[in-house]
Amino acid sequence: MNQLIFDFAAHDYPSFDKFLGTENAELVYVLRHKHGQFIYVWGEQGAGKSHLLQAWIAQALEAGKNAVYIDATIHPLTEKAFDADYLAIDKVDRLNNEEQALLFAVFNRFRNSGKGFLLLGSEYTPQQLVIREDLRTRMAYCLVYEVKPLTDQEKIDALASMAAARQVTIDTEIFEYLLNHWRRDMDSLVQMLDTLDHYAVMMGKRITLPLLRQLLKQQETE
């Protein structure tokens, strides 16, 4: 399983071009143009941190670099990380003690050699992390950015664009209702859009507000 994280191609990851919203323009610019050897991004769940980490890795892979993306909730951090030119660690707050020690060593090697780029992501700021203190001091090397979530209007515009790409007509009031009566992060909203689309096909009906209410009621009882 661990080897798989080194075998992804760039097309397996999202791109910067697909990242939505305008509030994070400076961060996207910094990541695209490699301004900073160590970067730490944080923000609420669903804000787009994983998208940015994966897009950063995709860009490096396209440039022929040895680039590694690790989701700390799925893949262990191992000594193979030392071989990476670009290393992105998602959900860094979930690293265990052994992995934290390894990340500390990665910081030292990258900094002392002047080679290697490190991008870390978490829901928490570096100060809020429950981690080894020596690792926290290394994180002081990082440029720190908050990944700001989309505004409600940006979420609605994004969902409408996704629906249009599927050639599905959905009234704006349905997206507004979702924002007020469903989970508000984009991952959950996109998943619900997909579920609603399939539900409408299964029921042989067009997507309407009553149909959405019916689906949400079923979701609550499951």
Side-chain angles (χ1 to χ4, degrees):
M1 175 63 75
N2 186 50
Q3 184 59 38
L4 292 177
I5 63 176
F6 293 87
D7 294 334
F8 286 130
H11 59 72
D12 293 314
Y13 294 119
S15 67
F16 285 121
D17 292 337
K18 297 296 184 181
F19 188 73
L20 304 172
T22 58
E23 291 295 313
N24 300 295
E26 179 183 342
L27 170 57
V28 172
Y29 180 86
V30 166
L31 294 176
R32 278 188 174 222
H33 297 279
K34 301 187 291 295
H35 290 304
Q37 185 180 15
F38 305 106
I39 300 176
Y40 184 105
V41 298
W42 66 277
E44 66 181 49
Q45 182 178 359
K49 301 180 297 297
S50 296
H51 186 131
L52 287 175
L53 267 68
Q54 292 175 19
W56 186 73
I57 289 298
Q59 177 178 265
L61 288 170
E62 288 173 353
K65 305 297 184 181
N66 183 358
V68 179
Y69 170 80
I70 294 175
D71 181 336
T73 63
I74 301 174
H75 306 292
L77 179 64
T78 71
E79 291 187 358
K80 290 183 179 180
F82 289 119
D83 299 326
D85 301 313
Y86 290 76
L87 176 62
I89 304 177
D90 206 351
K91 304 179 184 67
V92 68
D93 51 284
R94 302 295 293 275
L95 295 176
N96 61 34
N97 289 335
E98 182 179 343
E99 291 170 320
Q100 288 180 32
L102 182 58
L103 179 55
F104 176 80
V106 168
F107 261 112
N108 288 339
R109 178 172 295 191
F110 283 13
R111 184 169 184 260
N112 293 336
S113 68
K115 299 177 181 179
F117 293 86
L118 181 63
L119 176 60
L120 306 175
S122 172
E123 290 183 43
Y124 308 100
T125 67
Q127 293 77 18
Q128 293 172 322
L129 292 177
V130 179
I131 57 171
R132 295 163 48 121
E133 199 55 38
D134 57 359
L135 180 56
R136 193 190 309 281
T137 63
R138 292 300 179 267
M139 287 185 178
Y141 301 152
C142 293
L143 295 175
V144 178
Y145 285 90
E146 178 184 4
V147 181
K148 299 176 182 177
L150 297 177
T151 65
D152 284 358
Q153 188 58 54
E154 285 174 331
K155 291 176 182 178
I156 290 172
D157 291 344
L159 292 170
S161 295
M162 293 175 192
R166 302 180 186 186
Q167 298 183 328
V168 177
T169 301
I170 302 180
D171 293 336
T172 301
E173 67 174 355
I174 290 176
F175 299 131
E176 294 172 344
Y177 189 89
L178 267 179
L179 283 172
N180 291 320
H181 296 86
W182 186 243
R183 293 187 287 273
R184 295 174 55 83
D185 64 278
M186 277 303 297
D187 289 343
S188 297
L189 290 168
V190 171
Q191 184 178 20
M192 178 51 69
L193 175 62
D194 187 58
T195 301
L196 178 60
D197 185 20
H198 284 86
Y199 185 68
V201 172
M202 182 183 68
M203 299 294 291
K205 298 180 179 180
R206 69 185 186 89
I207 296 176
T208 61
L209 194 54
L211 187 69
L212 173 60
R213 290 186 179 127
Q214 182 179 330
L215 175 60
L216 291 180
K217 187 174 182 180
Q218 287 186 13
Q219 295 282 326
E220 292 173 356
T221 58
E222 291 179 357

